[in-house]
């Protein structure tokens, strides 16, 4: 046999071997892997481009379940659910208009004056700290690194023209109308939507979906309502105190304190009272001390008196978990994600506690005699008990 013939025979045999012994699952596996990669890329692209819409949609759902207890109460009195939802939204709209009519002008004026006076207040507090505590902190323009040239550059860069202002206003109005539309339909069609979603699953899983939905509504909605009540109480109390001691710009400072202290976990309490203390100390250092004392006392009253009673329907979340959830929510969805992250974690925690299973802890690797002192004493009592006593 010639060398060419042998080479041809070996090549043919290798080709027949590869075609005959290729696994049947190889080509389908490659196809499904490529399909999974394409789906991952497509989902990532959709998430990035629809992130703001998804955040708005989730905010509307959170708003709708916040209204659900009131809507259910009105529907139980014979009012149609759509009319009940519209009535609640109209009442909220009237309340917002009433607040703006009473305090809108004052709030706008004080807020503008506060923004203008804030750099000077920071400089005054820094100079006082350097003088009293012998520190060496930067003061004046060095504190915030602002010069007339930088102010002019910032104004040119971030101040939009007339067309930019109109487009921003139109975009804001469109987003608000979209939010209210989704809130109305999610609240008015809440039971029907739950039934529709449950009908897509077998009967054994429908009960699970119902429990999950109820826990989410209870925990997330309860969290938002309780925080709104606590924010309102904190704002009113802070505003009254600031007026009594004569601190300027009391209205925006009170609203700042109420909102930040309740919706920013862990650090919110300190951030909320820091700004009023700085403004008060700029005019009179002792007033800044009194503001800090008030914030400390009020925080204790809130923690031990108001918070347990108002948030009895919600779950307690570890401060580190709440703070981490805000960071993750802000990273994914911006300000909206930071706002809704804590109630979402509250609902997830409630679901884990409902369906999760905990096992008895075996201390020290399960060695005999391991466990706490109370457990060992209880075991000795059980062993030494006389059987006739039983």
């Amino acid at each position: 046999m010639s060398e060419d013939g042998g080479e041809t025979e070996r090549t043919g045999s290798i080709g027949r071997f590869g075609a005959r012994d290729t696994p049947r699952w190889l080509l389908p596996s490659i196809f499904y892997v490529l399909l999974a990669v394409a789906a991952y890329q497509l989902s990532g692209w959709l998430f990035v481009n629809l992130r703001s819409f998804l955040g708005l949609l989730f905010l509307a759902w959170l708003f709708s379940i916040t209204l659900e207890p009131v809507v259910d109460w009105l529907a139980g009195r014979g009012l149609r659910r759509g009319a009940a939802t519209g009535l609640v939204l109209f009442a909220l709209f009237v309340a917002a208009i009433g607040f703006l009519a009473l305090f809108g002008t004052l709030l706008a004026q004080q807020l503008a004056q506060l923004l203008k006076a804030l750099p000077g207040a920071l400089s005054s507090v820094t100079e006082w700290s350097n003088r009293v505590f012998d520190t060496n902190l930067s003061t004046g323009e060095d504190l915030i690194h602002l010069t007339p040239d930088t102010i002019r550059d910032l104004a040119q860069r971030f101040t939009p023209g007339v067309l930019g202002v109109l487009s921003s206003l139109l975009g804001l109005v469109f987003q608000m109308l979209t939010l209210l539309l989704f809130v109305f339909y999610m609240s008015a069609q809440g039971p029907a939507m739950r039934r529709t979603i449950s009908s897509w699953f077998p009967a054994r899983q429908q009960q699970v979906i119902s429990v999950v939905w109820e826990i989410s509504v209870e925990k997330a909605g309860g969290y938002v309502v309780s925080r709104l009540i606590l924010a309102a109480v904190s704002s009113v109390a802070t505003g009254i105190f600031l007026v009594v001691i004569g601190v300027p710009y009391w209205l925006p400072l009170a609203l700042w304190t109420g909102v930040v202290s309740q919706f920013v976990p862990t650090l919110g309490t300190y951030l909320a009272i820091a700004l009023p203390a700085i403004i008060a100390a700029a005019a009179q250092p002792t007033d800044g001390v009194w503001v800090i004392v008030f914030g400390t006392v009020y925080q204790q009253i809130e923690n031990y008196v108001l918070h347990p009673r108002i948030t009895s329907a919600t779950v307690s979340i570890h401060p580190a978990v709440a703070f981490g959830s805000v960071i993750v929510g802000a990273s994914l969805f911006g300000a909206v994600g930071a706002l809704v992250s804590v109630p979402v974690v509250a609902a997830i925690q409630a679901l884990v506690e409902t369906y999760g299973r905990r096992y008895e802890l075996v201390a020290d690797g399960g060695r005999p005699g391991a466990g706490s002192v109370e457990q060992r004493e209880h075991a000795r009592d059980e062993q030494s008990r006389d059987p006739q006593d039983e």
Side-chain angles (χ1 to χ4, degrees), residues 58-69 72 193-194 197 207-226 313-315 317 340-355:
F58 191 84
L59 187 61
W61 175 79
L62 189 64
F63 193 7
S64 68
I65 65 175
T66 304
L67 302 179
E68 189 160 339
D72 290 340
M193 185 168 58
R194 283 195 289 270
I197 295 176
Q207 183 64 28
V208 176
I209 296 173
S210 177
V211 173
V212 169
W213 196 289
E214 291 178 0
I215 291 177
S216 301
V217 170
E218 177 185 358
K219 299 304 178 182
Y223 175 87
V224 174
V225 171
S226 63
T314 61
V315 296
I317 303 177
V340 304
S341 59
V342 176
V344 170
V345 172
I348 294 175
Q349 179 176 322
L351 293 175
V352 171
E353 293 176 353
T354 301
Y355 290 101

Side-chain angles (χ1 to χ4, degrees), residues 21-42:
D21 296 341
T22 300
R24 294 183 177 180
W25 52 266
L26 182 59
L27 292 179
S29 299
I30 295 175
F31 173 76
Y32 287 125
V33 168
L34 294 177
L35 185 62
V37 172
Y40 173 78
Q41 295 291 337
L42 180 61

Side-chain angles (χ1 to χ4, degrees), residues 115-188:
L115 295 177
K116 186 182 297 184
L118 185 58
L122 291 173
S123 299
S124 300
V125 172
T126 306
E127 292 174 357
W128 175 82
S129 175
N130 292 338
R131 185 174 60 255
V132 174
F133 300 104
D134 196 22
T135 57
N136 191 21
L137 301 175
S138 299
T139 59
E141 294 179 352
D142 295 335
L143 180 64
I144 51 179
H145 301 286
L146 287 181
T147 63
D149 294 334
T150 57
I151 293 175
R152 184 173 59 253
D153 293 339
L154 290 174
Q156 293 177 355
R157 182 181 302 178
F158 295 104
T159 302
V162 176
L163 184 60
V165 171
L166 291 177
S167 61
S168 300
L169 289 177
L170 289 176
L172 180 61
V173 170
F174 178 76
Q175 288 186 351
M176 291 300 298
L177 292 177
T178 304
L179 176 67
L180 292 177
L181 182 64
F182 278 115
V183 168
F184 177 81
Y185 283 116
M186 287 182 179
S187 180

Side-chain angles (χ1 to χ4, degrees), residues 263-298:
F263 289 98
V264 178
T266 308
L267 299 179
T269 302
Y270 309 101
L271 294 176
I273 204 62
L275 183 60
I278 292 173
I279 297 299
Q284 185 67 30
T286 55
D287 289 345
V289 176
W290 282 116
V291 170
I292 294 176
V293 171
F294 167 78
T296 304
V297 173
Y298 178 81

Side-chain angles (χ1 to χ4, degrees), residues 321-338:
V321 177
F323 185 65
S325 66
V326 170
I327 295 177
V328 174
S331 301
L332 293 177
F333 297 104
V336 175

